[in-house]
Amino acid sequence: MPDRHRNFIHGEWRDARSGLTFPDINPSDTDDLIGFFPQSGPEDVDDAVTAAANALPAWRRTPAPKRAELMFRVGEIMTRRKEELSRLMTREMGKVLSEARGDVQEAIDTAYHIAGEGRRLHGITTPSELPDKWAMTIRQPIGVAGLITPWNFPIAIPTWKSFPALVAGCTVVLKPAEDTPLCATELVRVFHEAGFPAGTVNLVHGGGPDVGAPLVRHKDVGVVSFTGSSEVGRQIAESCGRALKRCSLEMGGKNAQIVLEDADLDLAIQGSLWGAFATTGQRCTATSRIIVQRSIHDRYVERLAAEAARVRIGYGLEDGIQMGPLINEGQRTTVAKYVDIGKAEGARLVCGGAAYREGRCARGFFFQPTVFDRVTPSMRIAREEIFGPVASVIAVDDLDQAIQVLNGTSYGLSSSIYTRDVAGAFRAMSEIECGIVYVNGPTIGAETHLPFGGWKDTGNGHREGGVSAFQAFTEEKTIYVDYSGRLQRAQIDNQPALESRP
Ligand code: ADP
């Protein structure tokens, strides 16, 4: 009998008030029912936000290094449970086991990094322009943070948001994706075991409109952090805009890898394969365009297609499997639709292009690694995010045109250039309009202690990762302390009188 799971509100596991549930299934094997989760509604969101608001005064007064000690414990518990969490992630979400281990490791790295920041959370001190006066800044928590997360990094992304929020002194309500509720539940169990006080961490399962939207709108939620589609991100930004509420958005990408004729082509091919097909192309940083200099184009496409056709597809808990399924049937339909669009637009399908149903894979949402060439920048497959194992190769004459094509989409998350020319690499680093640039590495592979986020339609100026992550969850306060014992007027009393100037 599959387990029946619950929301976590004020330190207790609770059903949705409606009593309704939804099923969670294994995308590699739809006969494998993982469990049932509460199909919550606005009333459950209200309970969770109230719990978070009630926990806030004591939590924000707890010294940040003390809050961070609990985060160190989170890192230790996750290290102990890493293998178990990774395996359940592969079962629930489909990414192959080595990648699931990477997802959990990212959470562990984030825990230790963010816990260390609990002893810093630096502001600045700076000289005042007046004598006997100090000037400094501190950062303080905004309040209750509403966190809305996707399924593609089902543990890492919730930790990118919740760890800095909690160490900053916010309390949180997490609304995880409907496709990966078990990973979020296990993460919350880790918080519970680490000893986070009741109400500081709350979890509400359910759908976007039923749980996500009321969480965004709730008057006691001070900041929203969202990762997901641009379409939903826009709705969230509108809702937060009306309420003048802080929101940090991390949305789509149409990431490109440039390969110039002087590149190490073996390395570039490996980068294309890993960038385009890891996590079945379902990373926001996945390589979906490969911009290749015309002189090497034919050779490159031939090798890429040959390697792509060799990728071993299957259930990610089995040995030797390199690529798992798509997350659900809806996503497989979307990917198939884009293959049709690409063909209709005149691109040439060089490998893949269809669902993969060999043997046991017939029970899951598998899709072949797919490569198009003769793609032009104006085609929809070159402009729109597909979120599947589909790479589009675009031929260009030189670096200038490559950068122009790379920048020619509405997104600006990740990018990559393969070249041995130092001057060309530096030009690309400077001129690419993206939040992340890799030189001689693929578009995927962010490290947790550096800022992560995108330009243009990918984001709204906030960053996750690194110390930048704290900006979303804190307000800055500027403090002046005047111990001169007299009225000192800034901009007035420190200027010599006009008549005394030479
Ligand atoms: P994806 O395509 O990755 O599923 P979505 O943007 O649809 O991206 O979903 C990302 C997260 O946003 C999920 O947790 C989802 O439930 C939530 N969500 C979807 N619609 C809304 C909405 N209208 N308001 C708030 N959250 C939503």
Side-chain angles (χ1 to χ4, degrees), residues 147-152 175-179 206-217 224 226-233 235-236 251 327-328 331 385 387:
L147 313 179
I148 300 175
T149 54
W151 43 264
N152 62 337
K175 200 307 268 181
E178 304 90 303
D179 285 303
D210 295 339
V211 178
L215 181 61
V216 170
R217 279 198 306 268
V224 173
F226 165 82
T227 300
S229 63
S230 297
E231 187 192 339
V232 172
Q235 290 171 27
I236 290 176
M251 299 171 290
I327 188 69
N328 54 38
Q331 195 53 32
E385 186 174 52
F387 231 59

Side-chain angles (χ1 to χ4, degrees), residues 326-408:
L326 291 164
I327 188 69
N328 54 38
E329 190 59 56
Q331 195 53 32
R332 186 157 68 171
T333 306
T334 301
V335 174
K337 181 191 84 180
Y338 273 105
V339 170
D340 290 342
I341 290 171
K343 287 184 200 159
E345 285 178 313
R348 185 172 71 116
L349 182 65
V350 288
C351 77
Y356 181 82
R357 302 183 197 276
E358 295 295 311
R360 270 192 61 181
C361 288
R363 298 210 297 263
F365 307 118
F366 295 91
F367 204 89
Q368 299 166 347
T370 299
V371 177
F372 276 107
D373 84 339
R374 299 189 194 155
V375 177
T376 61
S378 61
M379 290 181 183
R380 284 182 62 191
I381 57 167
R383 288 186 289 116
E384 297 174 16
E385 186 174 52
I386 300 174
F387 231 59
V390 182
S392 293
V393 181
I394 303 172
V396 292
D397 294 328
D398 53 22
L399 175 62
D400 282 338
Q401 197 187 359
I403 293 173
Q404 192 190 2
V405 168
L406 186 145
N407 287 339

Side-chain angles (χ1 to χ4, degrees), residues 129-213:
E129 65 185 41
L130 293 161
D132 298 331
K133 186 179 172 191
W134 276 27
M136 57 197 161
T137 67
I138 59 170
R139 286 201 166 273
Q140 294 192 302
I142 291 186
V144 176
L147 313 179
I148 300 175
T149 54
W151 43 264
N152 62 337
F153 280 83
I155 289 190
I157 292 179
T159 69
W160 288 2
K161 298 181 189 305
S162 58
F163 290 2
L166 287 161
V167 170
C170 294
T171 54
V172 307
V173 177
L174 171 62
K175 200 307 268 181
E178 304 90 303
D179 285 303
T180 49
L182 183 59
C183 284
T185 300
E186 293 305 322
L187 173 62
V188 167
R189 281 192 216 284
V190 171
F191 281 123
H192 192 42
E193 186 185 339
F196 276 80
T200 51
V201 178
N202 304 275
L203 171 71
V204 185
H205 292 289
D210 295 339
V211 178

Side-chain angles (χ1 to χ4, degrees), residues 428-439:
M429 284 153 55
S430 157
E431 289 174 25
I432 284 174
E433 296 166 357
C434 284
I436 306 168
V437 180
Y438 292 91
V439 177

Side-chain angles (χ1 to χ4, degrees), residues 218-425:
H218 200 291
K219 65 174 181 23
D220 292 334
V221 169
V223 50
V224 173
S225 179
F226 165 82
T227 300
S229 63
S230 297
E231 187 192 339
V232 172
R234 263 180 224 279
Q235 290 171 27
I236 290 176
E238 279 171 19
S239 175
C240 289
R242 274 195 297 278
L244 299 177
K245 189 180 287 191
R246 176 93 50 97
C247 72
S248 163
L249 306 173
E250 200 48 63
M251 299 171 290
K254 192 69 194 172
N255 316 292
Q257 174 195 17
I258 294 175
V259 185
L260 298 182
E261 61 190 4
D262 67 355
D264 176 338
L265 292 191
D266 292 335
L267 193 63
I269 290 278
Q270 284 172 32
S272 294
L273 290 165
W274 178 235
F277 304 128
T279 326
T280 322
Q282 302 172 112
R283 294 193 187 201
C284 32
T285 51
T287 308
S288 57
R289 297 178 295 153
I290 304 174
I291 302 170
V292 182
Q293 200 159 8
R294 215 173 288 283
S295 50
I296 54 164
H297 169 269
D298 291 355
R299 225 175 351 135
Y300 200 83
V301 170
E302 196 181 312
R303 283 191 57 190
L304 180 63
E307 296 284 346
R310 273 201 284 275
V311 170
R312 284 189 299 279
I313 305 170
Y315 189 10
L317 286 178
E318 289 170 10
D319 280 347
I321 294 298
Q322 294 169 304
M323 195 176 95
L326 291 164
I327 188 69
N328 54 38
E329 190 59 56
Q331 195 53 32
R332 186 157 68 171
T333 306
T334 301
V335 174
K337 181 191 84 180
Y338 273 105
V339 170
D340 290 342
I341 290 171
K343 287 184 200 159
E345 285 178 313
R348 185 172 71 116
L349 182 65
V350 288
C351 77
Y356 181 82
R357 302 183 197 276
E358 295 295 311
R360 270 192 61 181
C361 288
R363 298 210 297 263
F365 307 118
F366 295 91
F367 204 89
Q368 299 166 347
T370 299
V371 177
F372 276 107
D373 84 339
R374 299 189 194 155
V375 177
T376 61
S378 61
M379 290 181 183
R380 284 182 62 191
I381 57 167
R383 288 186 289 116
E384 297 174 16
E385 186 174 52
I386 300 174
F387 231 59
V390 182
S392 293
V393 181
I394 303 172
V396 292
D397 294 328
D398 53 22
L399 175 62
D400 282 338
Q401 197 187 359
I403 293 173
Q404 192 190 2
V405 168
L406 186 145
N407 287 339
T409 70
S410 57
Y411 295 113
L413 182 52
S414 188
S415 60
S416 137
I417 177 163
Y418 281 74
T419 180
R420 289 186 172 110
D421 173 24
V422 174

